[in-house]
Amino acid sequence: MQIRDLPYPDPGRPDARSGPRFLYWLGRRQLRGQLKSLSWGLLHQLGVAGLPLGAGLAVQAVVDRSGPRLALAGAVIALFGCAITLGDTMLHRTAVTNWITAASRVQQLLARKTAELGSALTRRVAAGEVVAVSTGDVEKIGWFVEALSRFLAAAIAVVVVCVGLVLYLPSIGAVVAIGVPVLALAVLPLLPRATQRADVQREKAGRATELAADTVAGLRVLRGIGGEDLFLTRYREASQEVRAAAVRSARMWALISSIQVFLPGVLLITVVWYGAVLAGEGRISVGELVTVYSAVTLLLFPLRHFEEIAMAYSFSRPSATRAARVLRLERTSYEDERGGLDDARPTGDLFDPATGLLAPAGRLTAVVCGDPDAAGRLAERLGGHAAEEEKSASVLLGPVALDDLPLDAARASVLVQDKDPVLLSGTLTELLEVPASGEVKPLDALDAAQCDDVLAALVQASVDGSGDPLRSRITERGRSLSGGQRQRLALARSLVADPEVLVLDEPTSAVDSHTEARIAEGVRRLRSGRTTVVFASSPLLLDRADTVVFVHDGKVAAVGTHRELLRDDPRYLSVVTRRTDEEAEAEAEAGAVTDKGPDGTRPDEEPQVPTPLTTSEPLAGIEETA
């Protein structure tokens, strides 16, 4: 695999049972690249190891005043120099390729998992950890994959040099052969503590990143309540904790590095002293002493790779563990023995066995929950994105469980729009270019979502002067639009998609009541014959639903029309009118009629629901909430 071939057509199915297993799987997937890097690394390392032989021959030739032998020594040195140059160049090329391709593979795996989990990802994994895995952890994993082949080449070179010295000069070679393994293994007892300190540093860094992300996301709210200084102080404290943890980790690695410098120095001094004694006694020649000295000096170079691989593994193992934890996550936790289905899209009623919620096919069903968080979780369940801790049976679409469907088929069948949708940057045409049935035109969807004022605003802000709102650009996350405008554009995008089942979580929470009434009529008209589920507590939406389902304490408590539930269920009345228990008791004591609707009518009276406006122009003097 070359860099120009990225991304991978298929990054594969990782072994995510643990961090080390994931690293092993990653190395096996790049076995060809590792072998290339190992081959060039051996050429480079053996070239370095061969230089002392040429240097010893040259010194001895000078001592013996032999011109031919000196020329031979020069040729040997030149040959090893060419090997070093070629090996080092190609080693760097292949090693960096391994690094980039490994990082790319991990990023592809994470992107695929993120797309599979959707919004459920951040409910199972902290946002700061997701950021850390997607950025820094990917680089550390790539570092280990890149360093592995260079380490293996260095280890083989060290073994070859030690064996060669023993055969070339047994008296000194034995000292080197005993001392080098001691140097390589001396730092092993310190690695667990160094790894532990590095883990603490990364954990604190992840918390600081999460705090920073939360602060930036809520900056507008913080400014409104004057909480910038409070969160700035918290981030400063978290940053100082990261700094202190980094200093403690650096001290341990500095100790390891100092040992890697001190012990080889001791070995070198020992070899020089012992060799000088042998040379003085005439037991070895000057050339042999130079050869051994040069070999031991150059051994320090491959020994550095032992320290690097130890650092790379200690940093990459927790990173791989975090990546594996994310890659282990599944879309749902529901499993049985029914097996998978083909890509055919089922139709029929939408039923949730956990709550008893039934949304009849082709009807507009409104769902009222007293707890907004519970409403959000239920909306995600209906889309097949159940939380990991949920063990209940899957939501059914007709006779088919959503968990049994392939992911693409499940998402094409049931589309969930949450209460805080995201708009991507680009033109309005690009925003509405989503996988769709083709039966709903973009202009019809924009009209149903009451986006006339949004189109006018986009034309006014357009810089190309075309006057076509569909060619107007939307800024990142739609920041140039108000909250209600973003909400309506997202609704239009969902309507264009025209899924078999559309689940809307508070789709009109940021618009005024008159616009809300027109949107309710537009959605009802455009989704005629399609299954639509709307989570809302607004009487304007509830009164236009075919069926209203009231969910209390995680179970369906009542089913009927909006007016029937107002008359028959006090709990539903309290949720819709947002009355507290104390207020209800006070009204009862005062003789108030507790089953009076939010529009001020009694059950036997006709509720005064605002008449839908026929014009699509926004009313003057009415502003939507941001």
Side-chain angles (χ1 to χ4, degrees), residues 214-232 479:
D214 291 342
T215 303
V216 173
L219 189 58
R220 175 183 292 184
V221 177
L222 292 176
R223 287 175 176 172
I225 63 176
E228 304 104 305
D229 292 338
L230 175 61
F231 273 79
L232 181 60
R479 298 186 189 279

Side-chain angles (χ1 to χ4, degrees), residues 58-353:
V59 171
Q60 192 61 41
V62 171
V63 172
D64 297 339
R65 298 180 181 273
S66 175
R69 289 167 57 190
L70 182 61
L72 176 62
V76 171
I77 293 175
L79 177 63
F80 284 124
C82 292
I84 292 172
T85 302
L86 179 61
D88 192 25
T89 301
M90 297 306 298
L91 171 63
H92 179 75
R93 179 185 179 90
T94 55
V96 171
T97 299
N98 287 337
W99 187 331
I100 295 176
T101 52
S104 177
R105 186 187 298 275
V106 177
Q107 286 179 330
Q108 282 187 252
L109 292 171
L110 292 172
R112 185 173 67 183
K113 182 59 65 174
T114 300
E116 177 184 339
L117 295 175
S119 59
L121 175 63
T122 52
R123 294 202 306 269
R124 305 183 192 182
V125 182
E129 184 169 352
V130 174
V131 173
V133 171
S134 303
T135 54
D137 285 341
V138 168
E139 292 297 320
K140 293 181 178 65
I141 293 172
W143 176 29
F144 174 74
V145 173
E146 180 264 345
L148 182 60
S149 56
R150 291 191 288 109
F151 161 72
L152 292 176
I156 294 174
V158 168
V159 173
V160 170
V161 170
C162 290
V163 172
L165 286 177
V166 171
L167 298 177
Y168 178 71
L169 201 62
S171 56
I172 299 181
V175 176
V176 176
I178 295 174
V180 168
V182 174
L183 297 182
L185 303 177
V187 297
L188 289 182
L190 300 178
L191 288 179
R193 179 167 295 185
T195 302
Q196 181 181 7
R197 292 189 179 185
D199 291 344
V200 172
Q201 176 194 350
R202 282 187 290 270
E203 181 181 355
K204 291 183 179 297
R207 293 176 183 174
T209 302
E210 184 177 357
L211 180 59
D214 291 342
T215 303
V216 173
L219 189 58
R220 175 183 292 184
V221 177
L222 292 176
R223 287 175 176 172
I225 63 176
E228 304 104 305
D229 292 338
L230 175 61
F231 273 79
L232 181 60
T233 300
R234 291 181 180 176
Y235 180 74
R236 185 180 293 111
E237 293 174 353
S239 179
Q240 289 301 315
E241 290 181 1
V242 174
R243 181 195 62 79
V247 170
R248 294 184 71 249
S249 178
R251 287 174 179 169
M252 183 57 66
W253 288 113
L255 176 60
I256 293 176
S257 299
S258 64
I259 293 175
Q260 289 288 329
V261 173
F262 174 74
L263 292 183
V266 172
L267 176 62
L268 185 60
I269 294 173
T270 302
V271 169
V272 171
W273 173 80
Y274 184 52
V277 172
L278 295 179
E281 296 176 354
R283 297 169 59 183
I284 64 173
S285 66
V286 175
E288 292 174 333
L289 176 60
V290 171
T291 300
V292 173
Y293 170 77
S294 301
V296 175
T297 302
L298 292 178
L299 270 180
L300 303 183
F301 174 72
L303 283 175
R304 294 175 185 172
H305 292 286
F306 287 76
E307 177 189 355
E308 181 188 11
I309 196 63
M311 293 182 63
Y313 181 74
S314 64
F315 278 93
S316 64
R317 183 186 56 79
S319 296
T321 300
R322 281 195 294 267
R325 183 161 58 245
V326 174
L327 296 175
R328 277 199 305 270
L329 298 176
E330 297 295 337
R331 187 165 64 96
T332 61
S333 59
Y334 175 67
E335 296 179 355
D336 60 16
E337 299 179 356
R338 288 174 291 182
L341 301 177
D342 55 22
D343 291 337
R345 299 179 184 177
T347 58
D349 298 340
L350 185 69
F351 177 67
D352 178 25

Side-chain angles (χ1 to χ4, degrees), residues 416-430:
V416 179
Q417 176 182 308
D418 60 23
K419 63 186 64 176
D420 187 20
V422 176
L423 301 182
L424 303 179
S425 61
T427 64
L428 186 55
T429 299
E430 294 171 341

Side-chain angles (χ1 to χ4, degrees), residues 3 20 39 110 148 228 243 275 317 337 401 413 562 566 605 614:
I3 295 177
S39 300
L110 292 172
L148 182 60
E228 304 104 305
R243 181 195 62 79
R317 183 186 56 79
E337 299 179 356
S413 300
H562 171 57
L566 283 176
E605 297 176 347
T614 57

